[in-house]
Amino acid sequence: MSTKKPAAPKSALAGTDTLDRGNTNAKLDSLEKFRSDATEQALRTNQGVKIADNQNTLKVGARGPSLLEDFIMREKITHFDHERIPERIVHARGTGAHGVFQTYENHSVLTKAGFLQDPGKKTPVFVRFSTVQGPRGSGDTVRDVRGFAVKFFTDEGNFDLVGNNMPVFFIQDAIKFPDFVHAVKPEPHNEIPTGGSAHDTFWDFVSLVPESAHMVMWAMSDRAIPKSLRSMQGFGVHTFRLVNAEGKSRFVKFHWRPSNGTCSLVWDEAQKLAGKDTDYHRRDLWEAIEMGDYPEWELGVQIVEEENEHSFDFDILDPTKIIPEEIVPITPLGKMTLNRNPDNFFAETEQVAFCPGHIVPGIDFSNDPLLQGRLFSYTDTQISRLGGPNFHEIPINRPVAPFHNGQRDALHRTTIDKGRASYEPNSIDGGWPKETPPAAQDGGFETYPERIDANKIRQRSESFGDHFSQARLFFHSMSKHEQEHIIAAYSFELGKVEREFIRAREVNEILANIDLELAKRVAQNLGLPAPKAGTVDVPKISLERSPALSQANLLPGNIKSRKVAILAANGVDGAAIDAMKKALKAEGAHAKLLGPTSAPVTTADGKALPVDASMEGLPSIAFDAVFVPGGAASIKALSGDGVALHYVLEAYKHLKAIALHGEAKQLLDVLKLETDAGLIVGANGKLAKPFIAAIGQHRVWDREPKAKAIPA
Ligand code: HDE
């Protein structure tokens, strides 16, 4: 029998995206690290039989028909035919990472939850970030809300904090969720658009549902195009309860604050990235963890004493409202560090099953009607998504706490339960497993005994009636450039809406009630008549501005893990590259050397420098800043290279820091640019400091009006 082996693939590194990542040693090392468990193991069937030929189906003669008898081929193809599971109805596109959570101190005054007691204790976590609208393969950088779901594997059971990167939601009652999701998802007749809300059904719904006004404002803000998953805040959204050992309960809102600061992409950049690197966010997270730049978030809570429940000008049970940090500051609880990438995307990130109903003693729910509905939905959806009620046995969902009960059988049961009593009480198995009464520590879960005396009704509380004052607060709290981005986003999205009556309704009945100037500007961009002042009597609230809401106030104050492109051609000044690399490294930033092609460049003094990629392979949108070192020949070559010129111009348009060293100054004339706070020219020694300071500002916002003249 002749077994013809196919030729080995040319390069195991060949990616499917359009960005050439370069064939670096680091990459090879990481490939080694993800080596299969099957190393030095024989290829076998699922029944354990060793396979002699994995190339050819069993046939009647070399040119004859295939035989049904070929159990090896049938097993392989059958398994393959069933590889996919239903993707999540919302939040289908996601990426995950492992890490640890450590409390700063003993928080027993607030809660009896064990993982918030001992600062020495490391609680494992698994986090999944996601977009909401698009399917599994959709782009990372679309305008959308991001999911921020954390599973804490505590000794007392799993606690899932299933939040978003925005602190409010579109609707107030769970019964509206299917309507909202049907409206935002791709339209049913042609399944367009993928990954975005710029279409008729979304704007039809939100313009008819004023309770969505506040969240839509967040979705039209820069928060919906985060720079990275590492630079996002996270929010539990709903009000929860923390309960201590004495049974004292307090209301809390959960917050995650990244040590990386909170910042966003610019819109043109986000759109380009969605095409050029669909995996931009997941790649950034993956690479940061591989490089040891472990992302960190501080978990904190806003605490409201029970007796103060009604002391705000909104209802704390209404999920379309924030509690401004200026009114109730955040109390830090502890820190989460993500330090390990998953071994297998499907087994971990795809199969992880979050549920807001997974809580531990010391944490409890509030009566927020959105939260109450969620408590039902998540387990229900896993039953069809993960094929039955035993999804808690999948390794990524298994608690580290032991679990025993009388639940038995069902699809995909993997536990082999011993004993004969699967009921309680029993006397056959000694009565085990038995209930645990509530206790100060390590007791059974006890629901907070809130007293409720009311009628059974279908009714929205009057205290949920103000839909505009916090949308206005948000808009007024933004810096000038953030406001301009919001106006541009409404104009862009509504510009894609085909029905003019929907555009007009959003402008006149929603935006005009939030801020007349905002409504006028959007109307102007859409060619609609100037709107009149809104007709809703919006209550005056105690705060006119909340600085904590503006990302302009959320910079990290350092450039740790920022990415800088260094552009070079033959004849480049090698010493300038070394000096800048050294300065950036000292600040924890990462530099990559890019040439006209992937071939090494030769420095002015004749040294061959390997490049990380070609400029075309890693375009400016993959970086935070650009450095062009001098060297007469290099600058002459770059000045005549369209890719290099576009590189600098695009970085300028996206408001990034650019440093031009020595002869590179000539690029100002070639590109007709003027220096500014972030476009810096200079010699060695003088350039690094202002360049680093400019990168630390994230973007040169003052440049924005000028940058508009640069073609995209
Ligand atoms: Fe979800 N949501 N949701 N949601 N949600 C799901 O659960 C649902 C809501 C959030 O990475 C689904 O396992 C209802 C608010 C995240 O696996 C589903 C309502 C917030 C994720 C579901 C809401 C979220 C989901 C789809 C209104 C922020 C991804 C698959 C009552 C606080 C979790 C799944 C992951 C996923 C239902 C509203 C966050 C269908 C009914 C508000 C981060 O069960």
Side-chain angles (χ1 to χ4, degrees):
M1 189 176 76
S2 81
T3 307
K4 208 169 167 231
K5 299 268 175 204
K10 270 204 182 98
S11 165
L13 297 174
T16 49
D17 60 284
T18 51
L19 299 194
D20 167 13
R21 302 272 143 190
N23 188 354
T24 60
N25 284 339
K27 203 157 190 186
L28 287 170
D29 289 348
S30 90
L31 285 176
E32 293 288 324
K33 207 172 117 186
F34 290 96
R35 184 179 271 171
S36 155
D37 287 345
T39 307
E40 293 176 19
Q41 296 296 315
L43 186 70
R44 295 173 189 253
T45 69
N46 289 337
Q47 301 306 317
V49 176
K50 285 186 185 160
I51 296 173
D53 182 347
N54 192 34
Q55 319 305 322
N56 299 294
T57 302
L58 185 68
K59 295 197 295 275
V60 185
R63 299 181 60 249
S66 303
L67 289 172
L68 193 58
E69 179 193 323
D70 188 351
F71 65 95
I72 296 175
M73 181 272 273
R74 276 191 295 112
E75 181 198 83
K76 184 175 176 182
I77 302 264
T78 303
H79 195 276
F80 168 77
D81 289 344
H82 299 271
E83 269 180 8
R84 296 288 170 269
I85 59 171
E87 66 174 33
R88 290 166 175 82
I89 301 182
V90 280
H91 297 265
R93 168 80 184 171
T95 195
H98 294 271
V100 291
F101 175 82
Q102 259 181 296
T103 184
Y104 290 141
E105 53 185 330
N106 184 321
H107 294 292
S108 56
V109 173
L110 281 177
T111 176
K112 61 179 176 181
F115 76 103
L116 290 169
Q117 314 284 307
D118 174 7
K121 170 93 193 156
K122 287 188 178 167
T123 299
V125 296
F126 186 78
V127 179
R128 184 174 178 273
F129 300 107
S130 47
T131 57
V132 177
Q133 199 262 16
R136 257 189 73 176
S138 55
D140 275 348
T141 58
V142 294
R143 176 176 297 284
D144 200 352
V145 185
R146 300 299 186 285
F148 192 130
V150 184
K151 194 180 276 296
F152 295 79
F153 298 91
T154 89
D155 293 344
E156 297 170 303
N158 287 354
F159 165 47
D160 292 357
L161 185 49
V162 196
N164 278 342
N165 76 329
M166 299 180 191
V168 286
F169 202 64
F170 294 96
I171 46 168
Q172 294 172 324
D173 188 309
I175 201 167
K176 298 305 297 166
F177 192 63
D179 297 301
F180 165 71
V181 173
H182 288 171
V184 71
K185 277 278 176 180
E187 298 201 5
H189 61 307
N190 58 9
E191 213 181 44
I192 297 175
T194 297
S197 55
H199 59 112
D200 285 48
T201 54
F202 173 76
W203 288 98
D204 188 26
F205 181 82
V206 297
S207 63
L208 289 168
V209 178
E211 73 201 52
S212 66
H214 187 195
M215 177 65 164
V216 173
M217 178 73 78
W218 279 80
M220 292 305 110
S221 80
D222 291 350
R223 300 279 183 143
I225 44 169
K227 174 179 138 51
S228 68
L229 303 169
R230 302 183 282 143
S231 64
M232 298 193 316
Q233 290 182 332
F235 303 90
V237 177
H238 315 280
T239 296
F240 287 83
R241 288 175 183 275
L242 287 183
V243 187
N244 68 16
E246 286 78 50
K248 181 167 175 51
S249 151
R250 295 173 175 89
F251 292 110
V252 292
K253 290 254 190 205
F254 288 106
H255 291 251
W256 290 108
R257 292 188 293 194
S259 62
N260 235 358
T262 302
C263 55
S264 293
L265 301 167
V266 296
W267 179 228
D268 180 62
E269 185 188 20
Q271 283 185 295
K272 285 179 173 164
L273 277 167
K276 289 202 180 189
D277 190 2
T278 314
D279 308 305
Y280 181 71
H281 279 156
R282 60 163 65 157
R283 189 191 310 281
D284 172 84
L285 182 68
W286 181 278
E287 286 181 352
I289 293 174
E290 287 307 300
M291 284 190 290
D293 280 340
Y294 297 141
E296 290 173 353
W297 283 262
E298 181 170 88
L299 177 68
V301 278
Q302 287 175 295
I303 304 167
V304 176
E305 298 292 339
E306 279 225 303
E307 54 274 26
N308 296 334
E309 180 181 356
H310 301 290
S311 63
F312 302 94
D313 41 27
F314 52 87
D315 193 329
I316 62 166
L317 299 186
D318 174 357
T320 68
K321 303 293 183 296
I322 58 162
I323 306 180
E325 286 176 41
E326 290 76 9
I327 298 177
V328 180
I330 296 174
T331 303
L333 296 181
K335 191 164 82 177
M336 173 172 78
T337 309
L338 299 185
N339 56 15
R340 183 163 64 86
N341 280 315
D343 290 311
N344 183 286
F345 182 90
F346 179 83
E348 301 178 89
T349 310
E350 191 59 9
Q351 293 202 108
V352 65
F354 293 96
C355 174
H358 294 165
I359 53 168
V360 290
I363 302 177
D364 212 336
F365 314 118
S366 73
N367 296 332
D368 173 342
L370 197 67
L371 173 60
Q372 295 280 321
R374 293 181 72 204
L375 300 180
F376 159 72
S377 174
Y378 289 66
T379 313
D380 184 45
T381 205
Q382 309 309 348
I383 291 172
S384 57
R385 197 171 74 80
L386 298 169
N390 283 318
F391 55 86
H392 60 282
E393 298 192 348
I394 298 172
I396 190 62
N397 295 320
R398 270 182 177 269
V400 295
F403 55 96
H404 303 282
N405 54 47
Q407 295 170 33
R408 291 291 182 277
D409 310 345
L411 285 170
H412 311 306
R413 186 71 170 181
T414 55
T415 306
I416 300 176
D417 294 295
K418 295 186 191 141
R420 294 173 66 176
S422 53
Y423 51 87
E424 190 277 336
N426 73 68
S427 59
I428 292 185
D429 281 342
W432 298 105
K434 295 179 191 172
E435 295 167 337
T436 310
Q441 285 300 300
D442 226 15
F445 183 85
E446 183 188 28
T447 291
Y448 178 70
E450 180 185 3
R451 188 181 156 71
I452 297 183
D453 182 7
N455 299 324
K456 268 194 212 171
I457 43 170
R458 287 188 189 269
Q459 207 176 77
R460 198 73 61 91
S461 169
E462 272 177 30
S463 56
F464 281 36
D466 161 29
H467 304 315
F468 296 113
S469 64
Q470 286 211 350
R472 182 180 289 172
L473 173 72
F474 182 77
F475 188 64
H476 290 176
S477 303
M478 295 294 104
S479 62
K480 187 77 195 120
H481 68 262
E482 287 170 312
Q483 286 191 340
E484 289 298 320
H485 298 168
I486 289 173
I487 293 166
Y490 275 106
S491 306
F492 176 93
E493 295 248 330
L494 287 167
K496 298 250 180 190
V497 170
E498 289 168 351
R499 291 163 182 80
E500 192 165 311
F501 62 87
I502 296 178
R503 299 178 179 196
R505 187 165 59 216
E506 178 66 21
V507 168
N508 297 319
E509 290 171 41
I510 304 289
L511 299 185
N513 283 308
I514 298 174
D515 183 278
L516 190 56
E517 198 45 39
L518 162 70
K520 279 186 182 160
R521 291 277 307 278
V522 174
Q524 196 179 21
N525 289 340
L526 296 171
L528 292 173
K532 296 196 186 68
T535 51
V536 175
D537 190 12
V538 182
K540 250 196 135 27
I541 55 174
S542 58
L543 204 66
E544 278 183 14
R545 276 183 184 76
S546 167
L549 296 177
S550 168
Q551 294 192 126
N553 301 323
L554 299 173
L555 291 173
N558 62 55
I559 65 160
K560 253 186 94 198
S561 89
R562 293 263 168 178
K563 296 170 187 162
V564 180
I566 303 179
L567 310 189
N570 287 339
V572 68
D573 181 340
I577 297 179
D578 290 345
M580 184 58 85
K581 273 193 164 173
K582 206 169 140 204
L584 291 170
K585 196 170 172 202
E587 300 291 325
H590 304 290
K592 282 207 162 142
L593 186 65
L594 310 176
T597 65
S598 301
V601 292
T602 310
T603 61
D605 51 8
K607 239 172 65 194
L609 290 182
V611 302
D612 292 296
S614 70
M615 290 177 221
E616 207 167 21
L618 271 185
S620 82
I621 47 175
F623 291 95
D624 295 297
V626 176
F627 170 54
V628 189
S634 173
I635 297 305
K636 189 162 175 234
L638 296 182
S639 300
D641 180 336
V643 175
L645 296 178
H646 179 258
Y647 210 101
V648 179
L649 216 50
E650 190 176 55
Y652 180 86
K653 183 168 177 67
H654 295 157
L655 317 176
K656 294 175 180 172
I658 301 168
L660 304 176
H661 162 260
E663 290 89 346
K665 189 180 169 194
Q666 294 161 21
L667 292 175
L668 289 181
D669 292 335
V670 179
L671 296 170
K672 299 194 173 52
L673 298 178
E674 286 167 20
T675 56
D676 60 26
L679 176 49
I680 306 152
V681 296
N684 262 354
K686 292 219 172 102
L687 208 51
K689 215 171 151 199
F691 186 45
I692 286 165
I695 301 171
Q697 292 303 304
H698 178 52
R699 296 298 159 96
V700 190
W701 299 114
D702 290 346
R703 184 194 294 162
E704 202 162 23
K706 260 194 186 168
K708 279 204 174 121
I710 305 290

